[in-house]
Amino acid sequence: MFRSVFSRILTTFAVILLVCILLLVFIVARALYKENEEKEIDVLEITASEISFLLRDVQIRTEQSTQEVVERPAVVAMLNSFAQNVDTYTVVLQMDGTVLFTVSELWNPGEQMLSQETVSAILNDLRAYSISDLDGVLPEQRYNAFEVLHNDDGDFLILVSSRSGPNYDLANSVTMLMVAVAIWIIFVAMLCVFLVSLKITGPIKKIGDAAKEYATGNFSARVQIEGRDEISELALTFNNMADSLARHAESRKIFISNVSHDLRTPMTTIGGFVDGMLDGTIPPEQQERYLKVISGEVRRLSRLVNALMEVGRLQSSAEFEVSEFNLTEKARLILLSLIGKIQAKKLEIEFDAGEVDLFVLANPDSIHQVLYNLLENAVKFSNEGGRLDVQISAISGRKAQVRIHNTGASISADELPFVFERFYKSDRSRGLDKNGMGLGLYIVKSVLDKHGEPISVESLPEEGTTFTFTLPLSPNGR
């Protein structure tokens, strides 16, 4: 029952709501009962005060002793009337606890009803025994009120005791009303919690179902997005993740296809030429030409292996060792190494590095690869007779900025966010770079990420493409 998030949320809210309502009912009911008790005792105290006033008044008017006063028939009738009207009985005690007068059949005049200790406790606090059995004197817990009578012939203690408990009718009525209201509150609250929980757990279940589809290799499943809350953001993120997984799956397929082709083609060529030399199909005078072809294919295989090894190295946790080197000179030398390709495309070169070379703190070999990949791509994708601009400058924040721009075919806006992903090849790359594997820009991005530096790309139709990245300047700056 409690295996699902939905049932746990529903049960938790139900338990919390029920406990809170029961606690509220208990507190209110307890307060009403306490108030009724206080009112009952107040009534008894008023009765005791009226009896005290009556006895004092009669004693003053008749100038009789208190004993004589309580024996007067009119006074006895009055005291009996008090007892009948409020369902109580009255006892007039001397200060030693002896009964002077009683309307109860439990004691007779002259009997010791209360101990001296009990009387002393009552005189210290008239409400000390307001709900008690008077230290075992009464047969049960009763509501008691006391009043001290100060007459000319001494002090006396008046006790008014009620057998009936407080009137619980109002408290019971209010409690039952609260219970009825609580039932409706619980019903409405549970309905609301049910709907809210369903709204929360519904999309989560859909995400779970989509995840199961992804586990089988089906990345077409998507979660429908509704609203703009955190669940919707989770669904949007999940859909973006699915898009990324789909692209990676497609990239892996393309990568495997490319690698298979790049491995199979040179190996077939090498194997065929070697077999031809061994069986005499290729005459000795032509073997040198074919050995050059074999050498070229071996170098091609070497480049492929090196690229795969570089990807593996970048994915490891090894950190780069940084040192100070001349960034401007390194870019200049790499550009010179590409002079053959540049001349073949008849490109116009603009190299702007300022008057003083810039020195940076980075890993020289890795940055060499970054510059080489970016410059080689710029030459490769430039239009024939186009332009290649390389700008190296110092910017604020003690950074050196490298900007490489080439004219030619642009990258579409839909493809720009993915150009640095592993194995990704844009449409223009498929047309111009049939031997590439989509690893060059991924390596560039990975190297700069390990240096903690950003790289950005801009591409506009008829203007070309620009890659920009930064590196930290060395303490000497230049």
Side-chain angles (χ1 to χ4, degrees):
M1 176 181 178
F2 300 104
R3 295 179 62 183
S4 65
V5 175
F6 175 78
S7 62
R8 292 176 183 174
I9 293 176
L10 197 63
T11 303
T12 300
F13 272 95
V15 171
I16 292 175
L17 189 61
L18 183 61
V19 170
C20 291
I21 291 178
L22 290 177
L23 184 61
L24 178 62
V25 170
F26 173 78
I27 293 174
V28 173
R30 181 64 181 170
L32 290 173
Y33 294 153
K34 190 67 176 177
E35 183 179 359
N36 280 334
E37 289 177 351
E38 293 294 330
K39 288 182 178 179
E40 181 73 8
I41 295 173
D42 289 342
V43 171
L44 294 179
E45 288 179 345
I46 292 174
T47 302
S49 179
E50 290 178 348
I51 293 173
S52 175
F53 177 80
L54 171 65
L55 296 180
R56 175 61 179 164
D57 182 64
V58 173
Q59 200 265 343
I60 292 174
R61 286 189 290 103
T62 61
E63 296 184 353
Q64 292 180 330
S65 65
T66 303
Q67 179 68 52
E68 294 172 333
V69 168
V70 296
E71 292 176 353
R72 291 174 65 88
V75 173
V76 173
M78 188 70 71
L79 295 177
N80 285 329
S81 175
F82 274 115
Q84 291 175 359
N85 288 338
V86 295
D87 191 22
T88 62
Y89 58 80
T90 305
V91 181
V92 180
L93 300 166
Q94 297 182 21
M95 286 304 175
D96 61 357
T98 303
V99 177
L100 182 65
F101 171 83
T102 179
V103 183
S104 172
E105 297 178 353
L106 297 176
W107 304 279
N108 296 314
E111 291 184 358
Q112 185 77 25
M113 178 181 175
L114 301 178
S115 65
Q116 190 63 53
E117 291 78 7
T118 303
V119 174
S120 299
I122 293 172
L123 294 177
N124 289 330
D125 183 4
L126 294 179
R127 283 209 167 191
Y129 291 89
S130 58
I131 304 176
S132 71
D133 60 357
L134 295 178
D135 295 333
V137 173
L138 300 177
E140 59 187 353
Q141 293 285 326
R142 299 194 185 199
Y143 294 89
N144 308 305
F146 301 90
E147 183 73 20
V148 178
L149 171 63
H150 300 286
N151 271 352
D152 294 340
D153 57 344
D155 293 338
F156 300 89
L157 185 63
I158 298 174
L159 164 65
V160 180
S161 180
S162 173
R163 294 182 181 180
S164 62
N167 185 3
Y168 291 138
D169 293 341
L170 177 60
N172 291 334
S173 298
V174 173
T175 301
M176 293 305 297
L177 178 62
M178 291 186 63
V179 170
V181 172
I183 292 174
W184 280 103
I185 292 176
I186 292 175
F187 174 76
V188 174
M190 290 304 298
L191 180 62
C192 294
V193 171
F194 175 82
L195 296 176
V196 172
S197 300
L198 197 61
K199 185 173 179 61
I200 294 175
T201 57
I204 296 177
K205 186 177 184 303
K206 293 179 181 178
I207 292 175
D209 294 338
K212 293 177 182 177
E213 292 293 324
Y214 301 158
T216 63
N218 177 21
F219 298 106
S220 62
R222 294 294 182 272
V223 181
Q224 185 177 359
I225 301 173
E226 297 178 357
R228 301 179 63 181
D229 53 12
E230 290 82 356
I231 299 297
S232 301
E233 292 180 3
L234 175 63
L236 179 61
T237 303
F238 194 81
N239 287 340
N240 292 337
M241 180 195 70
D243 293 337
S244 178
L245 289 174
R247 289 193 301 272
H248 279 295
E250 181 65 22
S251 298
R252 281 195 296 271
K253 292 179 181 178
I254 295 173
F255 170 72
I256 292 173
S257 176
N258 289 340
V259 170
S260 299
H261 177 270
D262 287 346
L263 287 174
R264 183 174 58 251
T265 301
M267 291 176 67
T268 301
T269 301
I270 293 171
F273 289 162
V274 170
D275 290 340
M277 293 178 188
L278 292 175
D279 61 17
T281 303
I282 299 176
E285 63 271 13
Q286 296 183 3
Q287 288 182 2
E288 182 178 356
R289 180 165 63 90
Y290 286 103
L291 285 174
K292 291 180 180 179
V293 175
I294 292 174
S295 177
E297 294 299 321
V298 170
R299 286 194 295 270
R300 181 179 172 188
L301 285 174
S302 178
R303 287 195 302 270
L304 173 61
V305 173
N306 289 336
L308 294 176
M309 291 180 63
E310 182 64 21
V311 170
R313 186 178 70 86
L314 291 173
Q315 290 178 338
S316 69
S317 58
E319 296 294 333
F320 286 129
E321 292 184 4
V322 299
S323 61
E324 180 182 301
F325 65 92
N326 190 331
L327 176 65
T328 306
E329 181 64 16
K330 185 174 288 292
R332 188 182 294 115
L333 291 175
I334 293 174
L335 197 59
L336 288 174
S337 70
L338 297 170
I339 194 65
K341 296 179 180 180
I342 293 172
Q343 291 176 346
K345 278 203 167 184
K346 301 177 182 179
L347 299 180
E348 180 183 350
I349 304 298
E350 177 68 27
F351 188 85
D352 181 11
E355 297 180 357
V356 181
D357 290 356
L358 295 182
F359 288 77
V360 295
L361 274 179
N363 183 269
D365 295 335
S366 298
I367 298 304
H368 178 96
Q369 189 170 22
V370 168
L371 290 169
Y372 186 89
N373 287 354
L374 291 177
L375 289 171
E376 185 186 39
N377 277 352
V379 173
K380 184 186 303 180
F381 296 112
S382 293
N383 57 314
E384 188 169 351
R387 181 183 178 88
L388 173 61
D389 295 328
V390 179
Q391 183 182 34
I392 301 176
S393 59
I395 61 174
S396 60
R398 299 292 299 168
K399 299 283 186 179
Q401 183 185 73
V402 180
R403 183 176 179 273
I404 300 173
H405 170 79
N406 67 275
T407 60
S410 63
I411 305 173
S412 68
D414 294 336
E415 293 178 326
L416 276 178
F418 313 118
V419 295
F420 294 111
E421 290 190 3
R422 183 175 48 180
F423 312 132
Y424 184 81
K425 295 183 70 175
S426 64
D427 290 338
R428 69 163 188 163
S429 177
R430 293 187 181 96
L432 299 175
D433 185 21
K434 293 181 173 57
N435 293 324
M437 294 173 294
L439 293 175
L441 291 180
Y442 171 77
I443 292 174
V444 168
K445 181 71 164 58
S446 299
V447 168
L448 292 174
D449 284 345
K450 288 218 168 188
H451 281 82
E453 297 295 332
I455 182 170
S456 61
V457 56
E458 297 178 356
S459 190
L460 298 174
E462 300 180 1
E463 293 186 15
T465 303
T466 303
F467 286 87
T468 306
F469 68 91
T470 59
L471 290 171
L473 286 171
S474 68
N476 296 328
R478 297 184 178 183

